[in-house]
Amino acid sequence: MDTQEQFRTVMAECRNLFAKKLHDYGASWRILRPTSLTDQIYIKARRIRTLETCGKRLVDEGVKPEFVGIVNYAIVGLIQLELGAAEAQDDMTAEECLAAYDKHANEAVELMLRKNHDYGEAWRQMRISSYTDLILMKVMRTKQIEDLGGDTLVSEGIDANYMDMMNYAVFGLIKLTFGEDKVEE
């Protein structure tokens, strides 16, 4: 499988979980502001880092589900940046939610392909722990941009940071899913 196929396979797994949660909970995430989603991504990345550094877990869920959570929260963040937070969860149908998910997932694939071309698949030589650290750095950058009210001088916006967090999480999932790195799932 080439990178694009691996990326799309992993994204399909993330979408599948998103669709199941959409069924179970509805679009309850629509009330979340982007700052709350940034914090959710932080929680997921922080747990991955803790598992990587201490090697012991007390909750029966490993690294892989946390990366899936980062992907899905990043996409939800992109949707919320585009539409704004809602006052209720019923402002979008399940079909509209999935269409919005697919739109941002496809944008992520296209961005990855462009960057992957320019960087020559350098991510394949990186450690999963580096993806974790980069996601945490992107979270810190995003929080700073949020604290500045989006008023940056030279930096990319929150949306670009969400896309990067998502792509790093997908790279981790590719390595875990296709056995390119030996880390506990």
Side-chain angles (χ1 to χ4, degrees):
M1 243 186 224
D2 69 6
T3 299
Q4 184 174 351
E5 289 174 297
Q6 289 177 325
F7 199 98
R8 288 189 187 279
T9 298
V10 165
M11 289 298 291
E13 291 174 18
C14 294
R15 185 189 189 277
N16 185 44
L17 181 61
F18 179 85
K20 287 177 180 176
K21 288 191 175 194
L22 184 62
H23 173 270
D24 291 352
Y25 305 131
S28 56
W29 51 267
R30 284 289 292 131
I31 66 160
L32 294 172
R33 293 170 285 190
T35 53
S36 297
L37 290 158
T38 301
D39 287 342
Q40 282 300 119
I41 294 169
Y42 171 76
I43 290 167
K44 298 289 185 188
R46 187 72 196 145
R47 181 163 186 271
I48 294 169
R49 187 168 172 159
T50 300
L51 293 175
E52 290 170 346
T53 55
C54 80
K56 178 182 177 185
R57 66 179 184 209
L58 300 180
V59 175
D60 191 27
E61 201 169 74
V63 170
K64 194 172 177 178
E66 302 297 353
F67 277 128
V68 170
I70 291 170
V71 169
N72 286 342
Y73 279 125
I75 289 179
V76 167
L78 291 166
I79 294 169
Q80 296 299 79
L81 286 173
E82 182 179 24
L83 302 178
E87 294 301 317
Q89 71 181 38
D90 61 356
D91 74 321
M92 290 178 77
T93 66
E95 293 77 23
E96 290 169 329
C97 291
L98 291 171
Y101 186 101
D102 292 341
K103 173 190 167 197
H104 292 291
N106 288 331
E107 289 171 356
V109 171
E110 293 305 315
L111 176 64
M112 179 279 302
L113 290 172
R114 291 190 307 273
K115 285 187 172 187
N116 205 37
H117 173 271
D118 289 356
Y119 288 94
E121 294 210 327
W123 66 271
R124 290 199 184 268
Q125 280 69 55
M126 294 171 63
R127 297 172 186 94
I128 290 177
S129 60
S130 293
Y131 306 143
T132 306
D133 290 349
L134 288 166
I135 292 167
L136 284 167
M137 179 191 66
K138 292 288 185 175
V139 167
M140 296 301 136
R141 287 181 177 182
T142 301
K143 289 176 97 154
Q144 177 66 19
I145 294 168
E146 290 167 346
D147 290 347
L148 292 170
D151 187 23
T152 62
L153 300 177
V154 296
S155 302
E156 295 179 303
I158 294 168
D159 57 341
N161 282 286
Y162 281 156
M163 284 288 237
D164 287 345
M165 291 179 226
M166 181 187 346
N167 281 337
Y168 288 130
V170 171
F171 291 155
L173 287 166
I174 287 171
K175 285 193 167 207
L176 292 168
T177 300
F178 296 98
E180 295 182 21
D181 216 21
K182 303 298 179 221
V183 172
E184 185 177 346
E185 295 182 33

